[in-house]
Amino acid sequence: MASASHRRPLRKRRTALVWTVAVAAVGLLVSLVIALRPDGEPDTVRTAAGAAATRPGASPTARRPAPAPKPSTASPDPRRTPAPAASPATRPARPSPAPARSSASRAASGTAPLAGRIKPGTAYTGVATHYDAGDGDGACLYGPSPDLMVAAMNHTDYETSQACGAYIQVRAASGASVTVRVTNECPLPCAPGQLDLSKEAFAKLAGLSAGRIPITWSLLSPSTSDTVSIRYKTGSSRHWCGIQALGHRNPLARLEVRTGGGWSRLTRTEYNHFLSPDGTGCGGALRLTDIYGEQLTADGLAIRPDTVQPTRVQFTRR
């Protein structure tokens, strides 16, 4: 019996020791887990924070189906929207339509938008030769002229008769100058810039024996009290007509006839007439446009071949 009473306390001590060791091990394990965590937070808190942090970069397709009421790292930054930069109206560096309109106005008032090779305000260089101008008539078919200060324009600058009627100021190296009107064409081999002057005009610059001299020349818009005149070509009728303008201050760019549908532009010829091959507009109102874009209207002109009919209009001096 004594032996039994001695063994019981030993078992109790062993049981108490085991519980003590177990509790100590559990406490040590908990301490290690907490110590090894980077932030010491419970797993549920850390997992939620980690998910929120990784949400913006998770995937390109991870877009919210509806806009969030508050800004967050998961929604696009509203400051990055490209709309203001993409709108032409908000780009100060891009020119607006206003300068284009003012530029067009300046072109209409100060330059010649319909000019061909001969432009106002431009000095051309070339050579001057001379020819016997006779009565002053030539390829432009203006007819005889009492003023023999005339010139034949080289073939290139003649430009299908657009140079006809142009007033040109010619200067020689000596400083002498003369003003001539283009009434003729100087065929090839006359070079661009070359003027073939009447003997009377050449003599104002140098002696005729010089034969050929260097010159500069430029377009003029002279003063005149005359108005523009119209002449129908020989053979013109209501079935076909050729129309010519005479006495215009500035080079003529276009001639149009009035039709039921508005204005119809006629084709210009090398002999300085505008043709209506089917008679359209023949005997009706005409609209003339100079190289500056100014337009004049002439009406009440009957078809009278080879008759000069004056109008009441003239282009503005430039």
Side-chain angles (χ1 to χ4, degrees), residues 42-77:
D43 284 336
T44 55
V45 176
R46 185 169 61 85
T47 302
T54 57
R55 207 175 281 155
S59 168
T61 60
R63 296 182 181 177
R64 293 190 176 185
K70 295 181 181 180
S72 71
T73 57
S75 62
D77 187 347

Side-chain angles (χ1 to χ4, degrees), residues 129-136 146-150 178-180 197-206 208:
T129 52
H130 59 77
Y131 75 109
D132 185 358
D135 60 6
D147 181 9
L148 293 182
M149 294 296 112
V150 295
V178 63
T179 297
V180 296
L197 305 176
S198 66
K199 289 180 179 179
E200 291 79 0
F202 190 95
K204 299 286 185 179
L205 303 177
L208 295 181

Side-chain angles (χ1 to χ4, degrees), residues 93-114:
R94 177 174 292 184
S96 64
R101 287 195 296 269
S102 64
S103 176
S105 299
R106 287 196 300 272
S109 61
T111 61
L114 300 180

Side-chain angles (χ1 to χ4, degrees), residues 59-293:
S59 168
T61 60
R63 296 182 181 177
R64 293 190 176 185
K70 295 181 181 180
S72 71
T73 57
S75 62
D77 187 347
R79 292 173 297 178
R80 295 181 182 178
T81 175
S87 172
T90 61
R91 291 182 179 176
R94 177 174 292 184
S96 64
R101 287 195 296 269
S102 64
S103 176
S105 299
R106 287 196 300 272
S109 61
T111 61
L114 300 180
R117 291 183 57 84
I118 303 175
K119 296 176 172 54
T122 303
Y124 297 88
T125 59
V127 296
T129 52
H130 59 77
Y131 75 109
D132 185 358
D135 60 6
D137 197 7
C140 296
L141 295 187
Y142 285 131
S145 171
D147 181 9
L148 293 182
M149 294 296 112
V150 295
M153 181 64 68
N154 67 82
H155 173 77
T156 303
D157 295 326
Y158 183 76
E159 201 172 6
T160 316
S161 77
Q162 181 158 314
C164 286
Y167 287 87
I168 302 293
Q169 184 178 52
V170 188
R171 290 187 179 277
S174 64
S177 66
V178 63
T179 297
V180 296
R181 183 169 65 103
V182 176
T183 62
N184 208 348
E185 177 186 10
C186 183
L188 296 173
C190 277
Q194 182 174 348
L195 292 176
D196 203 20
L197 305 176
S198 66
K199 289 180 179 179
E200 291 79 0
F202 190 95
K204 299 286 185 179
L205 303 177
L208 295 181
S209 60
R212 182 185 183 96
I213 59 173
I215 57 167
T216 60
W217 55 272
S218 57
L219 183 67
L220 289 181
S221 180
S223 61
T224 179
S225 58
D226 295 335
T227 60
V228 177
S229 296
I230 299 296
R231 180 167 56 195
Y232 278 91
K233 196 177 187 311
T234 302
S236 293
S237 68
R238 292 197 174 275
H239 305 289
W240 176 94
C241 67
I243 307 171
Q244 183 183 42
L246 304 91
H248 42 87
R249 172 185 274 123
N250 305 318
L252 192 62
R254 297 174 181 168
L255 191 148
E256 300 165 285
V257 294
R258 179 176 287 162
T259 65
W263 292 99
S264 178
R265 183 178 175 181
L266 301 186
T267 302
R268 191 171 200 157
T269 67
E270 291 279 346
Y271 51 89
N272 194 34
H273 281 70
F274 296 83
L275 299 185
S276 177
D278 58 0
T280 299
C282 296
L286 307 177
R287 185 166 72 177
L288 292 75
T289 306
D290 70 2
I291 62 172
Y292 298 93

